[in-house]
Amino acid sequence: LDIVRQNPDMRSRISVLGESLQSREEELQRVEKMVCTLYGDNNSDSIDKTRFKLFCKNQHLQSHQLPPTNAALIKHLKRANYQVYVWKHALMPTITDQTPDGEGWKLIDNHLKIDWTDKTPAPVGVMVSVCCACKGTSESRRCSCVKNSLPCTDACTCNEE
């Protein structure tokens, strides 16, 4: 994170986190551009474009080696913003009446669950053609589809049919 410490513009982009309870769209876009820079794409302000460029450059990358999708990044930034807001206001007698529901979390049966994303990690056409090359069954923990929370496709070698 030396790059962030040494870059005043990046520091100013993330310093807005936690200033207000609900993150504003323009603040999230500024941080998204910073994340593109952290992945080596200084000219992009779209994490999805950066993700696509990196994938095209090296198609052997696993999904966990790529930047998150915009949908996943926004949810993560909303969770971070909410948490930083709580930390910045920790000494106040009452912080907020608002629950984190909708700020990167979902309230399900009175339990907070992380809301990771509301979109697929790639277009449906790509998702259908993705396949693993594992030797076992799709229940195997070694299956790359299972590891990446993706369903096995007809092209997968572990497909029983």
Side-chain angles (χ1 to χ4, degrees):
L1 294 196
D2 284 338
I3 190 170
V4 176
R5 285 189 197 117
Q6 296 169 1
N7 189 318
D9 183 50
M10 285 190 183
R11 282 197 314 271
S12 73
R13 288 173 193 252
I14 60 172
S15 68
V16 298
L17 290 176
E19 291 300 318
S20 63
L21 191 56
Q22 292 181 329
S23 44
R24 295 191 303 252
E25 190 67 32
E26 64 271 3
E27 292 170 354
L28 295 176
Q29 288 173 346
R30 290 184 70 212
V31 176
E32 180 178 3
K33 181 168 178 41
M34 184 192 83
V35 174
C36 292
T37 303
L38 292 173
Y39 276 93
D41 191 353
N42 298 325
N43 301 321
S44 181
D45 57 357
S46 166
I47 197 68
D48 286 339
K49 288 179 184 175
T50 299
R51 182 179 170 88
F52 181 72
K53 284 181 198 175
L54 289 172
F55 176 76
C56 289
K57 211 186 270 188
N58 185 353
Q59 293 185 1
H60 298 291
L61 290 175
Q62 295 288 317
S63 62
H64 67 274
Q65 295 171 307
L66 293 169
T69 62
N70 173 270
L73 178 64
I74 295 301
K75 300 271 186 182
H76 177 71
L77 291 175
K78 285 183 173 188
R79 286 190 300 276
N81 182 72
Y82 190 92
Q83 186 62 58
V84 172
Y85 180 87
V86 169
W87 289 337
K88 284 184 174 181
H89 297 86
L91 298 178
M92 304 205 47
T94 303
I95 296 175
T96 179
D97 295 344
Q98 183 178 339
T99 68
D101 185 32
E103 293 300 313
W105 285 284
K106 289 180 188 175
L107 192 59
I108 301 172
D109 297 328
N110 284 335
H111 291 90
L112 279 178
K113 303 284 184 189
I114 293 177
D115 184 9
W116 292 106
T117 187
D118 48 11
K119 292 184 181 176
T120 59
V124 175
V126 172
M127 298 292 289
V128 171
S129 66
V130 170
C131 64
C132 63
C134 61
K135 304 278 188 248
T137 64
S138 60
E139 290 86 31
S140 169
R141 295 178 52 86
R142 291 186 290 178
C143 176
S144 60
C145 295
V146 173
K147 282 182 188 176
N148 291 299
S149 301
L150 299 172
C152 286
T153 65
D154 291 338
C156 291
T157 58
C158 67
N159 198 344
E160 288 87 21
E161 298 171 8

